[in-house]
Amino acid sequence: MTVSTITLHNGLAIPQVGLGLFLMQDESETAWAVKQAIQVGYRHFDTAAAYGNEAVLGQTLKDCDVCREDLFLTSKVWNNMQGYEKTKQAFQESIDKLQTDYLDLYLIHWYGLDVKGTWQALEELYQAGKIKAIGVSNFTIEHLESMKEYATIKPMINQVETHPYFPQDELREYMAKEGIAHQAWGPLSQGKSDLLLHPVLKEIGDRYGKTPAQVVLRWHIDRQTVIIPKSVNPGRIAENINLFDFALTEEDMAKIADMNVETRFGRQPNDHDFIEKTSK
């Protein structure tokens, strides 16, 4: 299967669909899901130190004997490892667990207590060829603006909660102007809403012979967003990447745009208590 790509501002192509490993905590289930994903065409995998499954992902990919150059691997530095020295240590721990000598993308997981030192470490690792692209996650416009004071390399991507009930239009417009790619976590609202029961999605899906979930994921694709839907269900894993035999019309996109209720289901990026607690 051919998966479309987005080109980051440094010229690196990132597959628009990847498997998200958030909340995959059972080792055998995680390994099985990754194997299923490989079989149906996934080559992009998104993990993080905080997920606790980097080692399982690394071993499973090795067992599947997929050429490293064909893979796109993302991980993230957790809040308690932010800062220049700790970030370099965290990065080494991540690539050791993933059994690789480089990452395709490394992100700052949250806007923590020492973003400046963390970003300096990412820039150096990038310039040393240890990371092919560097970026951030859960950053607001204000966060991104503040980085301009010290960043010599601007983030290539920002991974944020995005779905039709919370399309992040203002942030998306800002990032488009700045040349920062938009990546969506929770692209289906993490099952925390009635999103996939919405009649508009069913009506559109019926016309294309697609499920409401596929309509939502295609909406992301047509908005030039990178998506990392998470599933351990083999049917859904296959369904979530089977998006490239149809496209939505402008009318379809407008109908989905009308679904926006500005409702976030995940954590607020400016949850200072959470940042402080997890930075210890």
Side-chain angles (χ1 to χ4, degrees), residues 30 59 100 105 114 118 125 174 247 268 278:
T30 300
Q59 186 59 50
T100 183
L105 179 63
D114 187 5
T118 303
L125 289 164
Y174 169 86
Q268 289 280 352
T278 54

Side-chain angles (χ1 to χ4, degrees), residues 45-244:
F45 296 89
D46 180 279
T47 184
Y51 299 169
N53 52 31
E54 290 171 314
V56 179
L57 174 60
Q59 186 59 50
T60 305
L61 292 174
K62 186 176 181 180
D63 293 344
C64 289
D65 200 27
V66 180
C67 180
R68 175 64 182 92
E69 288 72 26
D70 293 335
L71 294 169
F72 193 102
L73 300 183
T74 300
S75 194
K76 312 173 191 76
V77 58
W78 188 236
N79 302 335
N80 66 348
M81 294 300 284
Q82 284 205 28
Y84 179 78
E85 294 294 346
K86 281 188 173 181
T87 294
K88 290 204 169 182
Q89 178 187 337
F91 170 78
Q92 188 62 48
E93 291 173 358
S94 287
I95 63 171
D96 287 348
K97 289 175 181 176
L98 287 163
Q99 300 187 47
T100 183
D101 55 5
Y102 72 94
L103 283 179
D104 298 279
L105 179 63
Y106 197 45
L107 307 177
I108 301 178
H109 210 148
W110 292 88
Y111 191 88
L113 302 182
D114 187 5
V115 172
K116 182 178 179 180
T118 303
W119 191 250
Q120 181 185 351
L122 262 63
E123 287 187 340
E124 290 183 11
L125 289 164
Y126 171 71
Q127 290 165 335
K130 292 285 190 176
I131 310 170
K132 290 193 173 185
I134 52 177
V136 295
S137 180
N138 302 300
F139 275 38
T140 65
I141 293 174
E142 291 73 24
H143 293 154
L144 293 168
E145 278 290 301
S146 72
M147 292 183 71
K148 291 180 178 179
E149 297 176 8
Y150 53 82
T152 60
I153 302 170
K154 69 182 174 183
M156 289 147 199
I157 201 163
N158 185 18
Q159 184 184 115
V160 291
E161 177 182 357
T162 315
H163 44 76
Y165 283 167
F166 191 64
Q168 295 269 25
D169 290 333
E170 184 182 7
L171 177 59
R172 178 173 174 264
E173 183 177 340
Y174 169 86
M175 292 194 299
K177 289 179 181 176
E178 294 289 328
I180 301 170
H182 185 170
Q183 185 171 26
W185 64 257
L188 299 170
S189 79
Q190 295 184 295
K192 294 180 179 179
S193 74
D194 63 354
L195 176 65
L196 299 184
L197 299 176
H198 200 290
V200 165
L201 300 177
K202 185 179 186 309
E203 179 265 318
I204 294 173
D206 286 348
R207 280 194 280 110
Y208 297 110
K210 296 292 182 178
T211 66
Q214 288 173 309
V215 171
V216 171
L217 296 177
R218 184 68 216 194
W219 169 81
H220 285 287
I221 295 294
D222 290 346
R223 276 166 45 107
Q224 297 300 298
T225 301
V226 179
I227 51 175
I228 45 169
K230 174 256 177 182
S231 181
V232 294
N233 178 295
R236 291 200 187 101
I237 288 171
E239 178 184 307
N240 290 345
I241 203 172
N242 185 19
L243 309 171
F244 300 100

